[in-house]
Amino acid sequence: MKTEIIVTTQIYAPTQERLDKEFTCHKLHEAADRAAFLKKLAPTVRALATFGPPGADAQLMDVLPKLEIISNFGVGVDAIDLDAAKKRGIIVTNTPDVLNDCVADTAMALTMNAMRKFPQAEVYLRAGHWAAKGGYPLTTSLGGKTMGILGLGRIGEAIAQRAQAFGMKIRYHNRNKKDIAYPYDADAVALAKNSDVLMVVTPGGVETDKLVNAKVLDALGPKGYLVNIARGSVVDEPVLLKYLQQKKIAGAGLDVFADEPRVPPAFFTLDNAVLFPHVGSATTETRTAMGNLQVDNLLAHFAGKAVLTRVV
Ligand code: 8YV
């Protein structure tokens, strides 16, 4: 008998194939009647496989009394109620490290595209403006500029290495100062003040909600750039939009938004923002590694072993 699990949303097809091989999977996102679906499975389901929103809240945990483990596809677990899981003795796992390089690559692409405006320059060429109007307007160099990393964890360090290879200087702010050579700033405002590029890499969730607000953007100033590859919730999005419209900051590179996949259409008209549809980890190699880690965590647990990457 295979262990029964619920998959909460559509996940990467090869990962779903592997899950189907190892477990009896019930797809919550395909259920016509969610309440009836959960009620029927309550006596047997022992695990959840999640991916991004909708995550897992306390209510879902309560209707599944046999739930032992929630295995998330992704490093960020802000869509999962960790306190509720802890209280109920439910293990939560994520997929750290395997995505560091791809997310850091994305962070650099956003930095470069925000500062050098390469996407806009290409649109300019394709529109025939090069021949008609002359060269594209000058942009801003990365070399010699300072990148302030808000949240210097494993992904932040991978970004720092890359930014240094581009000739940038690094500083950072974390809740706790690290034993690391980069200069430390006491808070997000001080970091923004001392940086040309503010790179947001913190986890999402209540603790970082709207951490990047008007005060921080004021400190970043009209020559500063904001890059966010973390979670949309970390930035006060309406304030950011206003600051971009009014050129109170120089530009932004955004891979994440407050209410994905909905992006406020006013962002589409901005010439000083580069917008990606949350593609930080979206390569075949990385998504395969993330999926394998998600499945391996479940397999380890049901083999009676310690899970590989436990959050709570
Ligand atoms: C995924 C991510 O795209 O790992 C994360 O936390 O943000 C990305 O790798 C995400 O899991 C999808 O919501």
Side-chain angles (χ1 to χ4, degrees):
M1 277 281 278
K2 285 185 191 172
T3 304
E4 308 234 355
I5 75 166
I6 286 179
V7 181
T8 58
T9 187
Q10 187 159 359
I11 58 171
Y12 182 51
T15 305
Q16 183 64 60
E17 267 169 42
R18 221 185 134 205
L19 285 173
D20 284 331
K21 226 170 80 195
E22 304 286 356
F23 303 98
T24 300
C25 295
H26 304 278
K27 295 178 180 168
L28 183 57
H29 53 291
E30 288 179 3
D33 180 341
R34 181 186 159 101
F37 172 94
L38 291 170
K39 196 167 169 207
K40 185 168 157 237
L41 295 172
T44 51
V45 160
R46 297 171 65 193
L48 287 182
T50 58
F51 169 58
D57 58 17
Q59 213 188 355
L60 180 60
M61 296 174 203
D62 281 341
V63 293
L64 298 171
K66 295 281 190 321
L67 193 60
E68 296 166 32
I69 176 168
I70 300 171
S71 180
N72 188 53
F73 182 111
V75 66
V77 285
D78 45 301
I80 299 171
D81 188 335
L82 297 180
D83 286 340
K86 214 173 182 175
K87 267 189 212 137
R88 290 160 182 76
I90 299 168
I91 293 170
V92 177
T93 62
N94 67 345
T95 61
D97 292 326
V98 291
L99 43 59
N100 294 354
D101 285 338
C102 272
V103 176
D105 293 347
T106 307
M108 288 314 297
L110 284 168
T111 303
M112 245 196 287
N113 285 338
M115 297 178 80
R116 298 293 311 275
K117 297 194 166 184
F118 289 133
Q120 295 94 319
E122 198 202 1
V123 168
Y124 184 87
L125 179 151
R126 286 177 189 250
H129 296 328
W130 188 13
K133 301 189 199 170
Y136 189 74
L138 302 187
T139 59
T140 307
S141 309
L142 278 70
K145 301 293 190 317
T146 298
M147 178 184 282
I149 299 184
L150 187 59
L152 189 71
R154 291 166 290 209
I155 295 174
E157 288 195 29
I159 296 170
Q161 281 174 8
R162 284 161 175 74
Q164 285 177 299
F166 280 87
M168 301 184 84
K169 290 170 256 176
I170 305 295
R171 9 185 359 109
Y172 77 103
H173 169 72
N174 262 15
R175 260 180 319 181
N176 301 309
K177 192 171 182 299
K178 295 180 86 167
D179 185 18
I180 205 157
Y182 306 130
Y184 177 77
D185 288 302
D187 56 36
V189 172
L191 182 67
K193 202 171 165 49
N194 291 327
S195 302
D196 301 292
V197 179
L198 182 65
M199 174 64 66
V200 184
V201 204
T202 64
V206 281
E207 280 177 35
T208 56
D209 191 57
K210 298 189 181 59
L211 177 63
V212 177
N213 52 22
K215 265 193 193 156
V216 174
L217 295 180
D218 280 333
L220 189 59
K223 289 193 168 169
Y225 294 82
L226 179 79
V227 177
N228 188 5
I229 50 90
R231 284 292 181 265
S233 61
V234 186
V235 176
D236 188 332
E237 197 168 81
V239 167
L240 172 63
L241 178 62
K242 198 174 81 188
Y243 272 58
L244 286 166
Q245 285 167 334
Q246 297 177 358
K247 310 264 189 285
K248 288 169 97 173
I249 62 168
L254 307 171
D255 188 43
V256 289
F257 298 88
D259 183 27
E260 296 173 9
R262 287 161 291 276
V263 177
F267 275 99
F268 305 159
T269 62
L270 295 169
D271 175 56
N272 54 354
V274 177
L275 315 171
F276 290 173
H278 201 148
V279 292
S281 66
T283 65
T284 307
E285 295 85 349
T286 293
R287 287 290 167 91
T288 301
M290 290 164 71
N292 285 340
L293 189 48
Q294 179 184 39
V295 180
D296 290 343
N297 272 313
L298 290 170
L299 290 175
H301 174 73
F302 290 113
K305 297 185 197 148
V307 293
L308 307 171
T309 48
R310 184 168 182 164
V311 182
V312 297

